[in-house]
Amino acid sequence: MTQIDPPNRYTRVDSGDDTRERLLAAALSQFAQRGFYGASIAQIAGELDLTKQALLYYFKRKEDLYAEVLKRIAERLLTGMRAGVEPDASPEGQFEAMILGVYEAARANPDDVKVLMRELLEVHRSKANPDEWYLKTFLDDIVGRLDQIEGLAQRPFAEKFAGVFQILSAIEYFVAAGPTLTRFYGEEGVAEIEAAYPAQLREQVRHLTQCHGPH
């Protein structure tokens, strides 16, 4: 295996932590625009005017870099999901707050949304190492919260997952469609739509959490 020397003054790398974070930000942007297979190590390094060798010092393979990007996205979603939850709220209220938190996290990080949508659509990524499926932790966490709601614990996991995934997919699609909707309806029109969206989201959540009668 070829030895990769540490970055030096010729690779124009700053302090290690700073460079690593900048590389992750550049990678997020490139993966959002081009997907895993469309983005290259050279393009990502080039955004920061670094050499390919400098990037490979921090991340030995593109897969390692992409895995870290996905991990950061999952962490941001989990943080957003938990941010507005009131400990004293009902389980239904806590779940609603989690979904709204996911929506706010998606709005704050539109590139995260683009990467996730590409991840779901790129067929070849289905063969990725299961250790890289950080989104599964997020999905399992939020589906598991439904078990705390009376009448839902005994419902099949597949049914609960389908309901949660439908809501999350709607959030991701709505956020990703923002630029296109702006072309159609203008900034003011989209601002009005965005203002109305949380109420519609709450209705979807309540439909999911209240549909726990017998089948």
Side-chain angles (χ1 to χ4, degrees):
M1 176 181 283
T2 303
Q3 174 100 18
I4 298 174
D5 295 328
N8 54 40
R9 64 188 180 90
Y10 297 107
T11 56
R12 300 182 63 181
V13 177
D14 302 324
S15 65
D17 290 345
D18 178 66
T19 299
R20 192 173 191 274
E21 293 304 314
R22 290 166 59 218
L23 284 170
L24 285 167
L28 174 65
S29 176
Q30 286 291 323
F31 289 136
Q33 294 176 46
R34 306 171 187 274
F36 174 77
Y37 294 101
S40 71
I41 291 292
Q43 289 166 339
I44 295 168
E47 277 204 18
L48 303 179
D49 196 22
L50 299 175
T51 66
K52 180 178 176 180
Q53 182 190 45
L55 190 154
L56 292 174
Y57 173 74
Y58 293 97
F59 300 95
K60 305 304 182 187
R61 306 175 304 149
K62 184 169 71 168
E63 288 83 358
D64 298 334
L65 177 58
Y66 186 68
E68 184 64 22
V69 167
L70 290 179
K71 180 180 178 182
R72 297 293 185 89
I73 291 173
E75 288 172 350
R76 285 191 286 271
L77 285 172
L78 283 167
T79 299
M81 182 182 81
R82 296 164 178 165
V85 175
E86 295 291 339
D88 297 331
S90 67
E92 291 88 347
Q94 290 185 2
F95 187 80
E96 181 178 296
M98 289 176 184
I99 294 295
L100 291 171
V102 171
Y103 171 56
E104 292 302 327
R107 286 187 65 198
N109 303 283
D111 277 352
D112 286 4
V113 173
K114 295 176 185 177
V115 171
L116 289 178
M117 293 186 76
R118 287 182 177 276
E119 171 72 0
L120 293 171
L121 293 173
E122 288 186 331
V123 177
H124 297 298
R125 283 287 302 161
S126 63
K127 299 178 182 179
N129 188 327
D131 291 340
E132 297 177 15
W133 296 346
Y134 296 106
L135 185 59
K136 184 178 184 298
T137 301
F138 163 72
L139 290 171
D140 288 347
D141 191 331
I142 199 165
V143 173
R145 300 300 177 119
L146 287 173
D147 291 342
Q148 300 175 13
I149 297 174
E150 183 179 359
L152 288 181
Q154 68 271 26
R155 298 297 285 272
F157 172 83
E159 182 180 313
K160 290 179 285 192
F161 181 92
V164 168
F165 199 77
Q166 181 180 38
I167 293 173
L168 296 179
S169 298
I171 290 173
E172 302 295 301
Y173 190 83
F174 180 72
V175 172
T180 301
L181 293 177
T182 301
R183 291 207 314 269
F184 294 162
Y185 300 102
E187 292 184 2
E188 290 186 7
V190 170
E192 292 178 1
I193 294 170
E194 289 178 342
Y197 189 74
Q200 296 298 317
L201 197 54
R202 288 188 178 93
E203 287 298 319
Q204 293 180 58
V205 170
R206 289 167 187 166
H207 177 76
L208 175 62
T209 57
Q210 292 172 9
C211 287
H212 47 75
H215 277 221

